[in-house]
Amino acid sequence: MKVSKEDLIKLYGQMWLIRLFEQRASDLFAKGVMPGFIHLGIGQEAFMAGTNYNIKAGDSVGSSHREHGLLLGLGITPNELMAELYGKETGCNKGKGGSMHACKAKVGAIGCNGILGAAQTIINGYGFAHKVRNDGNIAVTVFGDGAANRGDVHEGMNLASVMNLPVVFIIVDNGYGISMSSKESSLVDDLSARAAGYGMPGLTADGNDILAVIEATREAFERARQGGGPSVVEFKTYRHHGHFEGDPTPYRTKEEVEMWMKKDPIARFEKVLLERNILNEEQMKDIYEEQLAIVDAAQKFAEESPYPEGPEGYEDVFYFYEGGDK
Ligand SMILES: Cc1ncc(C[n+]2csc(CCOP(=O)(O)OP(=O)(O)O)c2C)c(N)n1
Ligand SMILES: [Mg+2]
């Protein structure tokens, strides 16, 4: 697929935005400034930016617990996402969604479900709505190698298939489900092979090569848009950090980490951009600085924003008080 020079440059900026945003979140979390619990997708930027590239206005995209990058690409701004991570009133969910439940339905970011696998059945409702409305939009659900082993995922795939829904199941095999290697939790090399069991196409692509991601999602998304039904796309990638921030990762070797660092998706894309004379090193540095300034501004915005207070603090949430539930 031909991607214009302008788009390649935008994608490069987008990858840096995701990485810098998450590195900042990691630092703030380590300092104890950021509350809650975060899972970072540093190292997985190519699949996030590449998938977003083929998303159109009106599509419904369900993310998982590691996809701040997808949310940024869909249209949750860095300011409102950072504020959400801080639990502030100016966050996209007034600080009550946090990292794992940040969403913004009007830009198609339909959110995450804390129960692995559950979102892959729910996505069919979105797919069905697009089909009934005949709006040419699709529903996309992104989930991990660990989630892929849940029974609900199989039900979801089967239903999408028999109802010929415009749903794309994106499996992100990043090597682990917490500390369980994906090589041990499933004995098929490619999790996309599951698609055959439901009579739909399945494809595995290099999730650290943004151009391969764009190609794979384009094919699957176009099929779904044109009434060709659901499919599975699997991306092989690696998370540079642990499952959660603070995870000491005793389950992986230094050699394994080093091997994947050599496949860093940003460095790989830089090589392509240099080889094709699209950007030189100085221009790449400028783009990096631009994205860094956006992240600095997002942090400042989040820190200066208020927490939800008074009655507002108790709206949109279930809470318990002594003497009964309310
Ligand atoms: C049904 C269910 N079981 C267990 C958990 C706890 N849990 C949260 S994340 C996770 C691992 C997910 O691994 P994977 O799907 O590969 O995604 P990744 O974290 O690698 O992005 C587990 C077991 C859960 N949230 N839901
Ligand atoms: Mg995983």
Side-chain angles (χ1 to χ4, degrees):
M1 183 194 180
K2 184 113 179 71
V3 181
S4 69
K5 184 179 163 180
E6 292 70 33
D7 283 355
L8 289 171
I9 296 172
K10 273 192 212 146
L11 286 162
Y12 178 64
Q14 177 105 52
M15 285 171 86
W16 268 122
L17 174 66
I18 301 172
R19 175 150 312 175
L20 293 169
F21 184 96
E22 292 220 304
Q23 276 176 345
R24 184 64 54 88
S26 172
D27 293 347
L28 294 167
F29 186 81
K31 283 187 195 143
V33 178
M34 184 172 278
F37 198 68
I38 46 173
H39 306 82
L40 301 180
I42 295 174
Q44 304 187 175
E45 297 85 357
F47 109 74
M48 293 189 259
T51 297
N52 275 333
Y53 183 72
N54 288 312
I55 293 293
K56 295 193 173 149
D59 290 345
S60 306
V61 184
S63 52
S64 190
H65 52 279
R66 201 180 293 290
E67 279 100 36
H68 298 135
L70 265 187
L71 303 177
L72 290 171
L74 287 169
I76 295 185
T77 66
N79 282 13
E80 57 187 358
L81 186 57
M82 191 66 91
E84 188 59 34
L85 300 192
Y86 267 82
K88 298 292 184 81
E89 198 180 70
T90 52
C92 49
N93 307 105
K94 300 184 201 163
K96 295 166 198 168
S99 166
M100 272 180 275
H101 299 287
C103 62
K104 189 171 171 185
K106 69 176 177 207
V107 298
I110 61 172
C112 161
N113 192 310
I115 307 299
L116 297 177
Q120 286 69 57
T121 54
I122 294 169
I123 198 68
N124 287 331
Y126 287 88
F128 187 55
H130 290 307
K131 184 173 173 158
V132 170
R133 291 181 189 144
N134 197 19
D135 55 16
N137 282 118
I138 58 171
V140 177
T141 179
V142 178
F143 54 106
D145 47 282
N149 292 327
R150 295 278 305 161
D152 329 35
V153 173
H154 299 268
E155 291 177 32
M157 287 183 180
N158 190 52
L159 188 66
S161 174
V162 294
M163 292 183 75
N164 196 41
L165 299 177
V167 172
V168 178
F169 295 87
I170 296 188
I171 305 177
V172 183
D173 180 0
N174 61 3
Y176 293 93
I178 307 188
S179 55
M180 167 62 80
S181 161
S182 58
K183 293 194 177 66
E184 290 175 54
S185 63
S186 169
L187 295 186
V188 290
D189 290 336
D190 293 333
L191 294 167
S192 62
R194 305 258 166 95
Y198 305 103
M200 58 177 154
L203 175 76
T204 291
D206 181 342
N208 280 20
D209 174 352
I210 190 161
L211 299 177
V213 172
I214 288 174
E215 192 52 40
T217 46
R218 186 199 58 79
E219 189 182 322
F221 291 4
E222 275 315 304
R223 180 187 303 111
R225 287 188 205 289
Q226 284 161 19
S231 62
V232 177
V233 178
E234 179 196 16
F235 293 123
K236 301 283 192 200
T237 184
Y238 197 72
R239 55 166 159 76
H240 291 181
H241 285 205
H243 173 67
F244 55 88
E245 286 305 282
D247 172 6
T249 69
Y251 47 85
R252 60 188 193 182
T253 62
K254 199 165 141 267
E255 291 72 26
E256 178 184 291
V257 176
E258 279 170 6
M259 189 264 285
W260 277 97
M261 287 300 173
K262 288 193 191 124
K263 299 189 197 176
D264 181 294
I266 297 187
R268 278 176 73 181
F269 193 35
E270 284 179 343
K271 210 161 161 265
V272 173
L273 296 170
L274 285 169
E275 274 166 12
R276 295 195 193 169
N277 284 322
I278 290 170
L279 288 173
N280 61 34
E281 285 188 5
E282 204 177 316
Q283 290 165 321
M284 291 198 287
K285 191 162 178 293
D286 288 345
I287 291 174
Y288 169 92
E289 298 290 345
E290 253 169 52
Q291 302 306 322
L292 191 60
I294 293 173
V295 172
D296 287 342
Q299 182 186 343
K300 187 165 184 288
F301 173 80
E303 287 175 352
E304 290 174 357
S305 292
Y307 286 107
E309 274 185 27
E312 161 62 29
Y314 295 96
E315 277 170 17
D316 314 316
V317 289
F318 289 106
Y319 68 99
F320 296 89
Y321 71 100
E322 221 175 313
D325 56 340
K326 197 174 173 188

